[in-house]
Amino acid sequence: MSTAGEWSVTVVVPTLREVENISPLVERVDAVRRATHLNLELLFMDDDSRDGTVERVRALALDWVHVVVRTGEKGLSKAVLDGLGRSGRDVLVVMDADLSHPPEKIPELIDALRQGADMAVGSRFVEGGSTDDDWGLFRWINSRVATWLAAPLTTLHDPMSGFFALRQSTFRAGHAFNPVGYKICLELLVKCRCRSVAEIPIHFTDRTLGKSKLSLKEQFNYLRHVRLLYIHKFGTWSPWSPRIREWRSQRPPSP
């Protein structure tokens, strides 16, 4: 497999009180960087955690690892957009800080872009993908309902993924970004008009350090976000509207 070593890469990682995960994440990304000879920088976008996250990054004193402290409008999606906008590199990768996403899959995401994909997404729900065994019934149902709501917007099996890559040129072609909540991948899929999207199977690992930021408020924000994306794409918000039903009837079946 090609490693796309000739491309420069920015890996954007939004953080909020993730001090315990900084060092292990950097170590794993560094192992990938060295093994594949990627010209890669790691950019932490921190929402003013004040838990030692920023100090931990700076103490590493690595010229390829950077941190930006955000004191303005907070939120994961806003942090990611801010980070993507700061990069001048060829390829943009987004992943979580909690070690749920395997950095070892970064070369495969990049290789999918080399083969022509507009976006490559780390997927739990394609063949070869998986999650930790301790997912409860509520969490599984919540994920499936969220995926069903996104169906009019994309054919992806895992549109909820927060681990993905796209070219700088694809990102720059997007417009009218207005994410609500934390599902920035879905925002970019729609607003950057990504037509060819590759799903790379990953094993999604539950966090072992730090605390999850997912809350009931964020789940309501997801509903608001989907509504806005329906309006952007179809001019209406309801998944049962005549325009979306007509569009679904003309849509080719998922492979």
Side-chain angles (χ1 to χ4, degrees):
M1 184 186 71
S2 169
T3 60
E6 68 274 16
W7 276 356
S8 59
V9 180
T10 296
V11 179
V12 176
V13 180
T15 56
L16 177 63
R17 298 187 294 276
E18 295 286 359
V19 61
E20 297 163 295
N21 290 309
I22 297 301
S23 294
L25 178 59
V26 171
E27 289 172 7
R28 288 176 63 180
V29 173
D30 192 28
V32 172
R33 188 179 70 95
R34 292 175 180 273
T36 58
H37 307 289
L38 279 172
N39 177 8
L40 179 151
E41 69 170 357
L42 185 57
L43 178 59
F44 290 101
M45 300 298 297
D46 186 72
D47 271 0
D48 201 17
S49 294
R50 303 188 184 187
D51 68 336
T53 294
V54 174
E55 291 77 10
R56 182 68 56 86
V57 175
R58 290 174 176 167
L60 295 172
L62 297 169
D63 61 6
W64 59 277
V65 180
H66 314 285
V67 61
V68 173
V69 182
R70 304 179 66 252
T71 57
E73 188 175 5
K74 305 294 179 63
L76 184 148
S77 292
K78 299 291 187 181
V80 169
L81 285 176
D82 190 0
L84 297 179
R86 289 171 181 266
S87 174
R89 298 200 168 206
D90 302 313
V91 173
L92 307 169
V93 178
V94 176
M95 65 186 304
D96 289 346
D98 61 6
L99 305 177
S100 60
H101 301 143
E104 295 76 16
K105 288 287 187 173
I106 290 174
E108 291 184 49
L109 296 178
I110 296 172
D111 201 56
L113 299 181
R114 287 195 65 197
Q115 293 176 29
D118 296 322
M119 178 182 282
V121 176
S123 177
R124 299 163 288 182
F125 304 133
V126 292
E127 184 176 357
S130 58
T131 64
D132 276 353
D133 293 334
D134 57 353
W135 266 37
L137 179 62
F138 176 78
R139 186 174 180 185
W140 185 87
I141 292 174
N142 183 65
S143 176
R144 290 303 183 179
V145 170
T147 299
W148 177 79
L149 287 171
L153 301 169
T154 175
T155 60
L156 280 182
H157 294 83
D158 193 2
M160 303 298 101
S161 179
F163 184 30
F164 58 91
L166 71 166
R167 296 182 192 85
Q168 174 78 241
S169 57
T170 302
F171 172 65
R172 297 294 177 186
H175 67 285
F177 296 126
N178 184 33
V180 177
Y182 62 106
K183 294 305 180 185
I184 185 60
C185 179
L186 197 56
E187 175 81 4
L188 294 171
L189 273 169
V190 174
K191 300 291 181 67
C192 295
R193 298 184 179 181
C194 297
R195 303 189 186 281
S196 172
V197 183
E199 290 191 83
I200 305 300
I202 65 167
H203 177 71
F204 182 91
T205 304
D206 286 338
R207 72 158 62 236
T208 57
L209 301 171
K211 295 182 179 180
S212 173
K213 313 307 184 299
L214 181 60
S215 64
L216 185 60
K217 177 182 177 182
E218 287 299 332
Q219 294 183 53
F220 278 116
N221 279 339
Y222 173 70
L223 297 178
R224 292 174 56 213
H225 189 197
V226 169
R227 175 181 178 273
L228 291 173
L229 290 176
Y230 284 168
I231 293 171
H232 176 85
K233 187 168 184 175
F234 301 108
T236 185
W237 69 267
S238 170
W240 299 279
S241 71
R243 286 196 62 192
I244 294 181
R245 287 202 303 269
E246 179 184 1
W247 172 81
R248 277 176 165 166
S249 68
Q250 297 172 353
R251 189 187 195 198
S254 300

